[in-house]
Amino acid sequence: MKAIGIILAGGNSERLKSLCKVRAIAAMPVASSYRAIDFALSNMSNSSINKVAVITQYNSRSLQDHLSSAKWWDLDRKEGGLYIFTPFLSSDNNFWFRGVADSIYQNISFLQRSHEPYVVIASGEAVYKMDYQKLLDYHIEKGADITIVTKNADEAGKDPHDYGVVTYDEDMKLTGFEEKPIEPKGNDISLGIYVISRPLLIKLLENAIPKGYYDFVKDIILRNKNHLNIYGYRFDGYWNTLNSVEAYMQTNMDFLKPEILAELKSEPYITTKPSDDPPAKLNSTAEVKNSIIGTGTIIDGSVSNSVLFRKVTVSEGATVNNSIIMKSSYIGKGCVIENAIIDKEAVISDGKQVIGSADDPIVITKGQVI
Amino acid sequence: MQKKEMMAMLLAGGQGSRLGILTMDKAKPAVAFGGKYRIIDFPMSNCVNSGVDTVGVLTQYQPLTLNQHIGIGVPWDLDTRNGGVSILAPHQTEGEKGEWYSGTANAIYQNIDYIDANKPEYVLILSGDHIYKMDYAAMLKFHKQNNCDVTIAVLEVTMEEASRFGIMNADENDKIYEFEEKPANPKSNLASMGIYIFTWSKLREALIEDNKIHADSDFGKHIIPSMLNKGMTLYAYRFKDYWKDVGTIESYWAANMELIRTLPEFNLYEDFWKIYTNSNLQPPMYAGANSEIKTSIVSEGCQVDGKVVHSVLSKNVTIEEGAVIKDSIVMEGCHIGKNVVLDRCIIDQNTVIGDNVVVGAGDNVPNEAKPAIYNTGITVIGSNTTVPDGIEIGKNCVIYGKTTADNYTDSKLPSGQNVVILEEAI
C-alpha cells in the first residue's frame, strides 16, 4: 500500500441551521441510504487505502454509531483498518483541536508509526466518488510535494468567493492560492482533498504547531507555497459539499438527475452501514414521480421531486413536493409538504401544511411535532 | 468451544423440484422472497432473534448462491468467534469414499462431530423452506417445562388438508402418542412443521442407532417413530402465527403477492423481529418522472420508469419506459426493456428482457413438459436468461438461457411451451 488516509470529519456549520445542531456535517444523511462520510470512506477502500483515520470533534457522538463497525467499508482490518480520533486529555495536552493542522498534529503518532510513503487527506463532508489511486499516481508522476484537488467553480455550481481559489500554470503547477478572495483570480476551487508525502507532512506540522500555526491551508500550504512543488489536480466527477441548507438540499436533489444517479449507482459502490429495513411499499393510492424512496418507507399519498429516507410514512391524501424527508418521519393524512427539509423522527399531523420557498426551504427540526 | 444450551441445524440441501426452473441453479432456501430476501433469511433471522447464535447450515444441492449469501454470517451478526454460522457440506471420511446426505437425519448424523464440539444440551432442527417468524426460545422453554426428549412444532390445519402432512396424534396435554405420515383418514389436525427440538444426548443415540438400520435415515420416517416406540417423551408445540410453505410455483407466487396488501398478514415492518438479509450495499430506489407504481413493494437499487402494479421487485431491477409490470415477481438485477408487458410471471435474477416483449399472453394451457408444475397461468423465466426484443410469450411457459430470435417461431412462444438452453459445462 502506497498511502494512508485521513478523513476530516470534525466540522459543523451555522449555515446548516438546526440540521447541524444534532449531528456533525459528516454524519448528515444523504440520498436516502447514506451518510456524508460514507463517500470519503468508500472512496478510500475503493482506492485500496486500507488504513484510514477519521478525525472528529464537533458532536462526534453522531458518528459513533455509524462507525461502530468498520466492516461496511472493508476497513475491519487486522493490519491498518479504521482509526477514530477525537480530542482527548493527556498529561501534555488539554486542548480541543485548534485547527485542521492541529487536529492532525495531535495524532501525529498515527503518521509516525505508519510506513506508507503518502497520505491522502480528504474531507468527510463532501459527496463525490473519486479514485484516490489515480490522484496518487498523478502526484508521483508530477514529482509533487503536495497535490491539491480542484474543480471548476461553475461546474460545481459554487461561488469562488466562498472557497479557496487556486491558480496554476500550464503544467498544473500552483501559482497562487487565496482563501475566500474578494477578487478571485481564477475559477478553480480547492475541494479540500490533498496528497502529501508522509515524512514531509510530519516535518511541516512539527514546524508549524509549536509556533501556534494551526490551520492547514494557511499555515501548511500557503506558508510553504514558494518553496514546495505544489500541483493542482482537476476533478471532473460530481462533487458537492454540505456546508449550507441550500447545498444540502441541492446535493440530495442532484440524485434525481439521471446522470448523477447513474454515477452513484455505478461500480465501485458507495457502501454504508446496513439498516435491514424491508423494501419500500407503495399502496394502491400512492403516486410517486421523480423521487428517491428509502427502504421501509410506506406511501399512500403522492410524492414528487423529493428524496425520502428510510421508514418514512406518507399517509393518504398527503402531497410531498420538492422536499427532503428524513428517517422515520411521519406525514399525516392530507398534509401538504413543499420545499421543506423535514429532519428525522418528525411528525406532521393530519391536514397540516409545511411550505417553504424554492430558494429558502423550510427546515423542521428532528423530532418536532406539528 | 464455549458450551451452548441450544444450537440450530438448518437443512438447506434440498432442491425443491416443484419450484421448477427457479431451483435449476440454486437450492430452494436460496430462492428470493418478498423483494430483497431469500427464503433462508427467515429461519436464520428467527435463530438470532431467539438468541440461538450457533447455526450449522447443511448444504448439498447447488450451494453456490447459498454460500455467497451466507458468507461468514455478517448480516445476521453470526460472524462471531464463539459459535456463529458454519456451512456444512457433505464430505469425505477416512477409509470410505464419503457420501451424500441421503436423508434429513442422515445429514445430521454425518455432522455429529460438529454438534459435539459445541457441547449443546439441545439441538434445534430447521428446514430452509418456509416463511414464518417464530421464537425458538419459547419453544425451548416448553420443551424444558414438559421434560421432553423431543418437541415438534405443529400447525393446526383443516382435516381436509391433514392428509398432505405428517400428523401428530396427541393427548389433551399435547403429548404425542402416535405419528402418521400423510394419513388417508387423519385422526388429528396437528401437522408437523418440520421444526424439532431434541435433547441432544437422546438424538445422538437415535441417530447412531438408526444409521445402522437405514442408509437414508429420515426424521419423519425413522427417528420420530422409533423414539415413540421406545416410550420417549414427545410433545407437540402449537404454533398459531403465519407460516407458509412456498414449495410450488403457485404458492410461492401467492405468498409474495400477499405482501403487497395494505395490511399484509405477514408483517415485515416491525422492529422487534427484523428479518436480516445480505444487502443494503445498494443505492436507494428511484421512481422516474413518468413512472407509476401502485400496490407493490420495491427494493433498493431499483429504477422504475414504467408502470408497476401488484408486483414485487427485488434489488437493482430496472424497468424501462412504457413497460407495464402486473401481478409479477421480478428478482434481483433484472433489466426489463421498453414497452414490455409482464402479466402474472416470475423473472429470476439477472435476466434481461428485451424491448417490446409480451409475457403472459394467450390461454391457460398447462406446460407440455411439466404440467404438474406449471399449470396456473404463471410463466417463469429463469436466472441469467436473455429474451430478445419483440417476442410474445404465453402462459405456463418456461424460458432459460441466452435465447435469441432463432429460438422462437414467428417471434412467439405459445402457452405451455418451453425454450431451455443449457450451456455445455466448461
Side-chain angles (χ1 to χ4, degrees):
Chain A
M1 276 327 106
K2 278 192 289 205
I4 55 173
I6 293 177
I7 296 176
L8 305 169
N12 69 328
S13 167
E14 290 287 313
R15 293 167 64 204
L16 274 163
K17 299 181 184 165
S18 72
L19 296 173
C20 220
K21 281 213 175 103
V22 291
R23 54 178 82 84
I25 301 177
M28 288 290 287
V30 180
S32 188
S33 306
Y34 309 101
R35 285 178 184 269
I37 197 167
D38 289 334
F39 290 85
L41 277 171
S42 301
N43 287 338
M44 289 287 177
S45 66
N46 291 339
S47 307
S48 304
I49 297 174
N50 299 326
K51 185 174 182 183
V52 179
V54 173
I55 299 184
T56 75
Q57 172 155 292
Y58 178 80
N59 200 341
S60 57
R61 206 188 71 173
S62 58
L63 277 172
Q64 296 294 352
D65 172 56
H66 193 65
L67 303 179
S68 62
S69 169
K71 63 176 87 158
W72 322 118
W73 305 277
D74 278 340
L75 288 171
D76 54 332
R77 301 294 94 193
K78 193 155 56 63
E79 287 290 331
L82 186 67
Y83 295 72
I84 300 171
F85 296 140
T86 46
F88 58 92
L89 286 176
S90 68
S91 57
D92 48 26
N93 184 9
N94 56 2
F95 298 111
W96 290 94
F97 298 148
R98 291 162 291 188
V100 167
D102 185 44
S103 73
I104 301 172
Y105 179 75
Q106 287 196 30
N107 297 290
I108 202 159
S109 59
F110 172 73
L111 297 175
Q112 287 163 338
R113 286 178 198 159
S114 298
H115 50 80
E116 291 81 353
Y118 301 99
V119 185
V120 173
I121 301 173
S123 157
E125 298 166 357
V127 172
Y128 64 108
K129 273 176 89 169
M130 184 170 178
D131 184 350
Y132 298 141
Q133 210 61 50
K134 262 198 204 156
L135 168 66
L136 206 55
D137 291 344
Y138 175 93
H139 176 87
I140 294 165
E141 188 194 303
K142 288 284 181 195
D145 293 318
I146 300 176
T147 300
I148 302 175
V149 180
T150 69
K151 190 168 178 65
N152 182 288
D154 298 333
E155 227 177 79
K158 297 295 178 194
D159 181 352
H161 293 90
D162 299 335
Y163 290 84
V165 172
V166 180
T167 50
Y168 23 61
D169 65 18
E170 64 279 6
D171 190 37
M172 296 299 285
K173 192 161 186 233
L174 185 103
T175 54
F177 189 136
E178 284 185 289
E179 267 293 33
K180 302 185 177 87
I182 295 165
E183 286 175 11
K185 293 197 181 72
N187 207 22
D188 287 296
I189 57 171
S190 165
L191 305 188
I193 305 165
Y194 315 96
V195 185
I196 181 168
S197 97
R198 189 179 50 85
L200 177 64
L201 178 60
I202 294 171
K203 196 178 108 194
L204 295 177
L205 289 170
E206 281 173 341
N207 284 338
I209 307 300
K211 295 176 191 155
Y213 300 130
Y214 304 132
D215 190 63
F216 194 78
V217 171
K218 200 165 66 177
D219 301 327
I220 301 293
I221 296 176
L222 297 185
R223 228 171 125 238
N224 295 298
K225 75 173 193 281
N226 294 331
H227 64 273
L228 290 178
N229 278 321
I230 305 180
Y231 281 84
Y233 174 85
R234 279 201 176 101
F235 177 61
D236 294 326
Y238 175 78
W239 176 89
N240 209 336
T241 187
L242 306 175
N243 54 5
S244 67
V245 169
E246 295 71 36
Y248 180 70
M249 188 85 177
Q250 186 60 49
T251 304
N252 280 284
M253 292 303 169
D254 280 344
F255 287 104
L256 300 177
K257 295 174 187 155
E259 68 279 7
I260 295 171
L261 186 67
E263 193 177 323
L264 179 74
K265 287 179 75 166
S266 65
E267 286 188 55
Y269 296 122
I270 301 300
T271 57
T272 187
K273 182 182 174 185
S275 52
D276 298 298
D277 301 310
K281 189 160 185 290
L282 290 83
N283 289 331
S284 60
T285 50
E287 210 166 300
V288 179
K289 309 265 186 216
N290 189 36
S291 296
I292 280 175
I293 310 294
T295 52
T297 283
I298 301 179
I299 301 179
D300 288 283
S302 88
V303 176
S304 53
N305 310 316
S306 295
V307 175
L308 270 54
F309 285 71
R310 304 189 290 110
K311 292 166 78 177
V312 168
T313 306
V314 179
S315 309
E316 209 175 324
T319 55
V320 176
N321 183 33
N322 201 37
S323 295
I324 295 170
I325 302 180
M326 290 197 220
K327 192 185 117 182
S328 300
S329 280
Y330 176 89
I331 311 298
K333 287 187 181 139
C335 289
V336 178
I337 313 292
E338 202 157 334
N339 299 317
I341 298 174
I342 297 183
D343 206 333
K344 65 191 219 179
E345 291 151 19
V347 175
I348 314 298
S349 315
D350 292 358
K352 291 280 190 281
Q353 304 201 333
V354 177
I355 300 176
S357 66
D359 49 359
D360 186 19
I362 183 168
V363 178
I364 303 297
T365 310
K366 177 183 171 186
Q368 198 175 335
V369 178
I370 291 187
Chain B
M1 254 183 270
Q2 201 173 305
K3 184 175 168 55
K4 297 287 173 187
E5 184 181 31
M6 180 163 81
M7 62 181 293
M9 295 293 274
L10 207 165
L11 298 160
Q15 177 182 1
S17 54
R18 290 175 304 155
L19 282 175
I21 207 84
L22 296 178
T23 54
M24 170 105 160
D25 50 11
K26 55 190 163 307
K28 180 175 167 187
V31 172
F33 183 84
K36 64 193 284 193
Y37 306 100
R38 294 186 189 272
I39 296 171
I40 198 170
D41 293 336
F42 296 87
M44 290 275 284
S45 301
N46 288 339
C47 279
V48 296
N49 288 335
S50 306
V52 177
D53 65 1
T54 308
V55 183
V57 177
L58 297 108
T59 61
Q60 175 153 293
Y61 176 82
Q62 290 284 25
L64 177 64
T65 309
L66 212 47
N67 289 344
Q68 286 175 333
H69 183 67
I70 294 171
I72 58 166
V74 169
W76 304 272
D77 276 339
L78 286 173
D79 54 329
T80 52
R81 240 171 354 93
N82 221 313
V85 65
S86 305
I87 303 240
L88 306 166
H91 48 270
Q92 274 197 325
T93 47
E94 170 76 35
E96 295 172 48
K97 280 184 180 165
E99 53 177 319
W100 296 104
Y101 296 148
S102 55
T104 50
N106 175 269
I108 306 296
Y109 169 79
Q110 293 198 42
N111 288 287
I112 285 179
D113 288 351
Y114 167 72
I115 301 175
D116 278 345
N118 287 289
K119 304 186 265 299
E121 267 175 72
Y122 308 101
V123 174
L124 169 68
I125 307 288
L126 302 169
S127 73
D129 291 355
H130 304 111
I131 307 299
Y132 65 109
K133 292 185 193 173
M134 183 173 179
D135 185 358
Y136 305 134
M139 184 171 165
L140 178 62
K141 196 173 160 200
F142 176 92
H143 181 86
K144 290 196 280 191
Q145 266 168 0
N146 291 294
N147 292 313
C148 297
D149 298 311
V150 190
T151 301
I152 302 172
V154 296
L155 206 64
E156 295 168 35
V157 297
T158 62
M159 284 313 249
E160 294 78 62
E161 286 177 301
S163 29
R164 293 198 288 117
F165 289 92
I167 295 296
M168 303 295 153
N169 299 323
D171 67 14
E172 68 281 4
N173 296 320
D174 286 341
K175 186 169 191 289
I176 299 166
Y177 61 87
E178 191 185 20
F179 170 77
E180 291 181 290
E181 184 70 39
K182 297 181 182 155
N185 300 303
K187 288 179 222 156
S188 127
N189 68 338
L190 300 181
S192 167
M193 296 162 65
I195 299 168
Y196 313 98
I197 291 178
F198 287 92
T199 300
W200 173 233
S201 57
K202 302 288 170 62
L203 175 61
R204 193 178 192 283
E205 209 174 290
L207 288 172
I208 292 170
E209 204 171 289
D210 195 63
N211 186 61
K212 292 177 190 149
I213 311 167
H214 303 107
D216 58 346
S217 189
D218 182 271
F219 281 108
K221 272 191 231 139
H222 310 126
I223 301 290
I224 301 296
S226 106
M227 288 176 123
L228 264 175
N229 285 339
K230 285 195 179 139
M232 289 191 186
T233 311
L234 284 78
Y235 268 78
Y237 175 77
R238 290 172 195 253
F239 181 71
K240 310 231 177 202
D241 281 331
Y242 184 95
W243 185 83
K244 270 282 183 302
D245 180 25
V246 288
T248 65
I249 292 287
E250 174 64 23
S251 68
Y252 171 79
W253 182 84
N256 271 283
M257 289 304 153
E258 277 180 20
L259 297 173
I260 64 177
R261 292 187 194 156
T262 305
L263 288 172
E265 199 187 336
F266 190 63
N267 187 358
L268 291 166
Y269 294 77
E270 349 175 268
D271 265 346
F272 65 92
W273 203 272
K274 276 190 187 178
I275 304 301
Y276 302 96
T277 188
N278 193 342
S279 79
N280 276 65
L281 303 182
Q282 274 82 19
M285 87 100 165
Y286 172 74
N290 300 314
S291 71
E292 194 180 329
I293 311 171
K294 285 187 198 300
T295 323
S296 296
I297 58 175
V298 184
S299 309
E300 49 266 55
C302 286
Q303 179 147 359
V304 179
D305 288 304
K307 182 174 171 178
V308 177
V309 193
H310 289 112
S311 293
V312 172
L313 303 190
S314 194
K315 297 174 285 183
N316 285 343
V317 171
T318 305
I319 311 281
E320 293 218 40
E321 245 175 80
V324 178
I325 316 301
K326 188 170 158 277
D327 298 320
S328 295
I329 300 165
V330 184
M331 297 189 199
E332 190 172 344
C334 288
H335 188 109
I336 312 296
K338 290 192 173 71
N339 306 316
V340 166
V341 176
L342 301 184
D343 188 2
R344 248 175 102 80
C345 63
I346 302 172
I347 317 277
D348 203 349
Q349 59 194 35
N350 302 322
T351 282
V352 178
I353 308 289
D355 295 346
N356 305 309
V357 168
V358 174
V359 185
D363 299 325
N364 189 6
V365 180
N367 191 274
E368 56 182 23
K370 290 180 175 167
I373 294 179
Y374 309 97
N375 53 33
T376 57
I378 298 166
T379 280
V380 185
I381 301 181
S383 62
N384 301 298
T385 292
T386 309
V387 177
D389 294 352
I391 305 291
E392 188 186 300
I393 298 158
K395 295 186 165 75
N396 299 317
C397 295
V398 175
I399 301 174
Y400 186 92
K402 308 269 182 250
T403 71
T404 62
D406 299 342
N407 299 115
Y408 303 87
T409 315
D410 300 332
S411 295
K412 277 187 182 157
L413 186 69
S415 290
Q417 295 197 12
N418 306 317
V419 177
V420 176
I421 298 171
L422 300 178
E423 278 175 41
E424 295 284 315
I426 302 159

